[in-house]
Every structure is written in structure tokens, then in C-alpha cells.
Amino acid sequence: MTPAQIEIFFATLKAANPHPQTELEYASVFELLVAVLLSAQATDVGVNKATRKLFAVANTPQKMLALGLEGVESYIKTIGLYRSKARHLMQTCQILVDQHGGQVPRTREALQALPGVGRKTANVVLNVAFGEPTMAVDTHLFRVANRTGLAPGKTPLEVELKLLKRIPAAYLVDAHHWLILHGRYVCKARLPICWKCSVQGVCGYKLKTPGPK
């Protein structure tokens, strides 16, 4: 995809959705961190369903620790890998209390030092909570970047670095949301809805799907 095509690509997505937001529900930076930590290999819908009840009783690291491991597990057992996620969450809460005054740190290094928080999760928190132009490459972003020709790469990190280099600065802060939503609802894994895609004119995907007859 050429620089001119990339400009059209993002200008089009921005025109359709000027202020994209994460679909995870949260009311604080801590709640966002918890929601993203729980969202690995799970849907946002499933995470939101569990966290609505969890956050009603434990919306701070201190309250989460008071709830205890089994208590946390009871709220998130509908989420995949809930036992390991609950353990990581409790360990993370303890570190937040012991080392960060109960606050979520705003550096990549400190975030990635938290159990269960990898580069992708750290990027989401840095972008959504702190407005930094990071690129959290999940399966949707990875697929869209490769399929469209926007930023082809063999690994999430390679795609992330290419996206940061190729996307115009004016679109960087919101680009992560546009790409995730595009991958989730239009450029789907099994059958991309090319006939409804607003950016198909600049997309490099050769096997575009026809609309229903």
C-alpha cells in the first residue's frame, strides 16, 4: 500500500468513525488494565459480562486483593483460562499496591513487569488510558495489516513497528481502534465482507469476496 493509499485508508475510516473507542467497559485506568488482562483469548462481550459484576465489588487493587483468589475466580469463571488470569490479576494487584501506590504505572517497562501483562496489553493501556500512539497488534490487527498490504509482517512485533512507521502521525492515536474494529466487523478472518468495505479501493487483497446474489 502506497503512502497515498494509506492516507485514503485512514481518512475514510476516520470519516466513518471520528472518535473510535475500545469495546471493553471500564471506569478507571485500573479497570481498563483488568479488562485487557482478562481479554486474552476471550471476547470483549464475555469480558464485559463478567467485569460488570466484578467491578461492582472490587474496582481497586486493594479491594481485589481483599476479595481473594477464589473470590475473583468466582466472578470470572465464564472467561477462558480464568484460573491463570485470576492468579496473574492477584499478583498484579499486589505489585500495584506495593510498588506503585495502588496506581497503574504509565511506562511500558513497568506495565510489562506486571504478571499477565505482555506488550499488547501494555500498548492498549498506554493508548486508551494515556493517549499514547501505540499499536496493540492482536489477531485482528495482524490480519488486516497483512491482508490489505498496509504493513505486512510475519510477527506481531514486526507488524507493530511497520504500522508505527507507515501510519501518518495525524491518525496514529486512533489507528489501533480503527484497525481492530475493521478486522472484527468487516475484514473478518473466514470471510471478509469486501462488498461492504469502504476502503476496498485501496486494499491490496487480491481475492476480494463478491456480495451475496
Side-chain angles (χ1 to χ4, degrees), residues 143-160:
R143 177 175 66 255
V144 171
N146 276 284
R147 182 184 276 167
T148 63
L150 174 62
K154 294 181 179 179
T155 67
L157 181 58
E158 184 182 355
V159 168
E160 176 187 336

Side-chain angles (χ1 to χ4, degrees), residues 135-151:
M135 204 62 55
V137 179
D138 66 354
T139 55
H140 296 302
L141 242 84
F142 189 77
R143 177 175 66 255
V144 171
N146 276 284
R147 182 184 276 167
T148 63
L150 174 62

Side-chain angles (χ1 to χ4, degrees), residues 68-125:
L69 180 61
E70 291 185 2
V72 170
E73 287 181 349
S74 70
Y75 281 97
I76 67 170
K77 59 186 177 183
T78 55
I79 299 175
L81 307 174
Y82 77 93
R83 284 195 172 91
S84 62
K85 289 177 180 178
R87 188 174 67 254
H88 287 150
L89 178 54
M90 295 299 283
Q91 293 169 343
T92 284
C93 287
Q94 194 64 60
I95 292 173
L96 292 179
V97 171
D98 292 345
Q99 299 180 21
H100 301 287
Q103 301 299 309
V104 176
R106 56 183 306 165
T107 67
R108 181 190 302 283
E109 294 73 23
L111 285 167
Q112 287 188 231
L114 300 172
V117 177
R119 185 179 181 90
K120 184 184 73 171
T121 298
N123 278 339
V124 173
V125 174

Side-chain angles (χ1 to χ4, degrees), residues 1 13 28 30 38 49 79 86 89 106 109 131 138 153 168 208:
M1 200 180 287
L13 295 180
S28 67
F30 173 69
L38 296 177
K49 188 175 180 180
I79 299 175
L89 178 54
R106 56 183 306 165
E109 294 73 23
D138 66 354
K208 290 187 171 66

Side-chain angles (χ1 to χ4, degrees), residues 5 24 39-40 52 64 66 68 72 79 95 110 121 126 132 139 153 178 203 209:
Q5 289 173 323
L24 290 171
S39 70
R52 282 180 203 131
M64 201 72 73
V72 170
I79 299 175
I95 292 173
T121 298
L126 289 171
E132 296 193 17
T139 55
W178 285 319
C203 170
T209 55

